[in-house]
Coordinates of all heavy atoms in Angstrom, one line a residue:
Y12 N 21.2 3.8 58.3 CA 21.5 5.1 58.9 C 22.8 5.6 58.4 O 23.0 6.7 58.0 CB 21.3 5.1 60.4 CG 21.5 6.5 61.0 CD1 20.5 7.4 60.9 CD2 22.7 6.8 61.7 CE1 20.7 8.7 61.4 CE2 22.8 8.0 62.2 CZ 21.8 9.0 62.1 OH 22.0 10.2 62.7
V13 N 23.9 4.8 58.6 CA 25.2 5.2 58.3 C 25.4 5.5 56.8 O 25.9 6.5 56.3 CB 26.2 4.2 58.8 CG1 27.7 4.5 58.3 CG2 26.2 4.1 60.3
A14 N 24.8 4.6 56.0 CA 24.8 4.8 54.5 C 24.1 6.0 54.1 O 24.5 6.8 53.2 CB 24.3 3.6 53.8
A15 N 22.9 6.3 54.7 CA 22.2 7.5 54.3 C 22.9 8.8 54.7 O 22.9 9.8 54.0 CB 20.8 7.5 55.0
L16 N 23.5 8.8 55.9 CA 24.3 9.9 56.4 C 25.5 10.2 55.4 O 25.7 11.3 55.0 CB 24.7 9.7 57.8 CG 25.3 10.9 58.5 CD1 24.3 12.0 58.6 CD2 25.8 10.5 59.9
A17 N 26.2 9.2 55.1 CA 27.3 9.3 54.1 C 26.8 9.8 52.8 O 27.5 10.7 52.2 CB 28.1 8.0 54.0
G18 N 25.7 9.3 52.3 CA 25.2 9.7 51.0 C 24.8 11.2 51.0 O 25.0 11.9 50.1
A19 N 24.1 11.6 52.1 CA 23.7 13.0 52.2 C 24.9 13.9 52.2 O 24.9 15.0 51.6 CB 22.9 13.2 53.5
F20 N 25.9 13.6 53.0 CA 27.1 14.5 53.0 C 27.8 14.4 51.6 O 28.4 15.4 51.2 CB 28.1 14.0 54.1 CG 27.7 14.6 55.4 CD1 27.3 13.8 56.4 CD2 27.7 16.0 55.6 CE1 26.9 14.3 57.7 CE2 27.3 16.5 56.8 CZ 26.9 15.7 57.9
A21 N 27.8 13.3 50.9 CA 28.4 13.2 49.6 C 27.6 14.2 48.6 O 28.2 14.9 47.8 CB 28.4 11.8 49.1
L22 N 26.3 14.1 48.7 CA 25.5 15.0 47.8 C 25.7 16.5 48.2 O 25.8 17.3 47.3 CB 24.0 14.7 48.0 CG 23.5 13.4 47.3 CD1 22.0 13.1 47.6 CD2 23.7 13.5 45.8
L23 N 25.7 16.8 49.5 CA 26.0 18.2 49.9 C 27.4 18.6 49.4 O 27.5 19.7 48.9 CB 25.9 18.3 51.4 CG 26.2 19.7 52.0 CD1 25.1 20.6 51.5 CD2 26.3 19.6 53.5
G24 N 28.4 17.8 49.5 CA 29.7 18.1 49.0 C 29.7 18.3 47.5 O 30.4 19.3 47.0
G25 N 29.0 17.5 46.7 CA 28.9 17.6 45.3 C 28.2 18.9 44.9 O 28.6 19.6 44.0
L26 N 27.1 19.3 45.6 CA 26.4 20.5 45.3 C 27.3 21.7 45.6 O 27.3 22.7 44.9 CB 25.1 20.6 46.1 CG 24.0 19.6 45.6 CD1 22.8 19.7 46.5 CD2 23.6 19.9 44.2
L27 N 28.0 21.7 46.7 CA 28.9 22.8 47.1 C 30.0 22.9 46.1 O 30.4 24.0 45.7 CB 29.4 22.6 48.5 CG 28.5 22.9 49.6 CD1 29.2 22.6 51.0 CD2 28.0 24.3 49.6
S28 N 30.5 21.8 45.6 CA 31.5 21.8 44.6 C 31.0 22.5 43.3 O 31.7 23.3 42.6 CB 32.1 20.4 44.3 OG 33.0 20.4 43.2
I29 N 29.8 22.1 42.8 CA 29.2 22.6 41.6 C 29.0 24.1 41.8 O 29.3 24.9 40.9 CB 28.0 21.9 41.2 CG1 28.3 20.4 40.8 CG2 27.2 22.6 40.2 CD1 27.1 19.6 40.6
A30 N 28.4 24.5 42.9 CA 28.2 25.9 43.1 C 29.5 26.7 43.2 O 29.5 27.8 42.6 CB 27.4 26.1 44.5
G31 N 30.5 26.2 43.8 CA 31.8 26.9 43.8 C 32.4 27.0 42.4 O 32.9 28.1 42.1
T32 N 32.3 26.0 41.6 CA 32.9 26.0 40.3 C 32.1 27.0 39.4 O 32.7 27.8 38.7 CB 32.8 24.6 39.6 OG1 33.6 23.7 40.4 CG2 33.4 24.7 38.2
A33 N 30.8 27.1 39.6 CA 29.9 28.0 38.8 C 30.3 29.4 39.2 O 30.4 30.3 38.4 CB 28.4 27.7 39.1
Y34 N 30.5 29.7 40.5 CA 30.8 31.0 41.0 C 32.2 31.5 40.4 O 32.3 32.6 39.9 CB 30.9 31.1 42.5 CG 31.3 32.4 43.1 CD1 30.4 33.5 43.0 CD2 32.5 32.6 43.7 CE1 30.8 34.7 43.5 CE2 32.9 33.8 44.2 CZ 32.0 34.8 44.1 OH 32.4 36.1 44.6

Side-chain angles (χ1 to χ4, degrees):
Y12 182 76
V13 174
L16 190 62
F20 278 115
L22 285 175
L23 180 65
L26 289 175
L27 287 175
S28 174
I29 290 171
T32 302
Y34 178 73

